[in-house]
Amino acid sequence: MTNDTYAHTVMQRCDALGGISEEPDRLTRRFATAALRQASAVVAEWMRAAGMTVRQDAVGNLIGRYESDRPGAKTLLLGSHLDSVVDAGKYDGPLGVLVALACVQRLHDQGRRLPFAIEVFGFADEEGVRYHTAYLGSQVVAGTFDPSILELADVDGVTVAEAIRASGGDPTQLAAARRSGDDLLGYVEVHIEQGPVLESRGLPVGVVSAIAGQSRFAIRLDGVAGHAGTVPMELRRDALCAAAEFILAAEALARGAPGLVATVGQIGAGPGASNVIPGMATLSLDVRHQNDGRREMAIDRLREGARQIAKARHVELEWQSVQESRALACDPRLAGLLTQAVESLGYPALSLPSGAGHDGVTLSGLTPIAMLFVRCKGGVSHNPAESVDKADVAVAIEVLGRFLELLAQPPNEFDA
Ligand code: HGY
Ligand code: MN
Ligand code: MN
C-alpha cells in the first residue's frame, strides 16, 4: 500500500473515533468513561489487524505490542492519548496513536520485524479533564501515580477508584502496572502542534525541542451571599467580583511576561441566582512557561495578587495546587534521529518547543522521550475546528517510519 493509503486510513479512523463521545452533539471523551472504553475497543481491533497483541492495564491504558524477531529485544514506546477535552477536536491524541499504528501496519504488511519490539500506547488520561490531574495513565506506566488521587471525586461524586473499577480496571493494581524502563529504548509521540508555527513556516512537521512546565490550581473565594436589591455596593463581599478582578490580573501579568501563559478555564459561582450576590466562587488556574524559574516567580506573584484582592474585598481565599510538571528537554539522540528522518525527506527540520503538555513529560522519568509535531490548520486545538491535512499525515507516517529504520540501523545496542 502507498503512504497515501495509510494516511487515508488514519484520517478515516480519526473521523471514526471523533464520533465516539460522552455527548451526542460534541466530542467529549474523558478518563474512565464508557466512551473511552468504546474508543479503546475500536483501536484494539485495529491493533490486532496490524499483527499486534493487545492488552489494557489496570488504569485503562490500551497497549498494542508488535514483537521483534530477536529474543530478548528492547522495546520502543510509541503512541499518544485517547481521552479528550470537552468539545474537543478529533486529532489531539488519536492522531499520534493512529500514525504509530500505521507504521506498525506497514511493517506487518511487509512481513517485517525490527531488532526491537514496538508498543503503541493509547493513554487513558492525558488531558485530566475529569479529575483535573493530568497524565493519570502515563503516571501509572511511569510508576509515579499518587494513590491519594484515588479518593478524588468528579463533578458527579464518582471517585477515581470507582471510575477505574467501573471502567474495567483495578485500582489495587496500579503500582503493579508500572512498566520497567530496563528494556526501553524510548518513547516517541507524534502530535498536532496545537500552535501556528509550522503553518507560518509552511512546514508539514517539526521536531519538538522541549515541553513547557505547567502548574494547575483550584482556587476558591468565599464572601457573603446577599440580596441583590438591598445590599449597598460598598458593603458587599462579592466572591464573583473578586474572581473577576483576579482573572483580569492574571491575564495582565501574563501579557506582560514573555513566554508566560496564564489561563482560567473554569469558573463557578454560588448560590447561583440572578438576584443573589455570589457568596462563593471557584476557578481553575493554568500557568505555563518553558523556564521553570519564571513560571514559579509568576505563580508567587499571582498568589500574592489573589491575596491582595481577597483582603481588599473582605473575602476568604483558598489556593490549592492540583498538578505540577516541570519543563522538559526532549532527548537529543531521539530528537536527532527524528531530525535526520525529516531531512531525509527533503524538509528542513524545524526544532520548536511545545506549550502544550504531553504524556512524555511523565514518561521522561522512565525512558528518553522525543516528539514530532504535525502542522494543524490555524494552530487551532481544543476546539472542534481542529484539523490536519492528509498530506501532512502522510509525511508524519513517512518520517516516523524512517525514524524506526534509523533506530534499527547498526551500530546500536541491538548488536551483540
Ligand atoms: O493541556 C495541555 O497542555 C494538554 O493538551 N493536556
Ligand atoms: Mn494531546
Ligand atoms: Mn490536549
Side-chain angles (χ1 to χ4, degrees), residues 244-264:
E245 185 177 351
F246 173 74
I247 291 168
L248 292 177
E251 183 196 36
L253 179 79
R255 279 181 183 279
L260 180 72
V261 285
T263 312
V264 173

Side-chain angles (χ1 to χ4, degrees), residues 92 126-127 194 214 216 288 356-357 382:
D92 174 7
E126 189 275 339
E127 299 291 2
Q194 299 177 300
Q214 66 172 276
R216 295 188 189 185
R288 307 188 192 198
H382 286 191

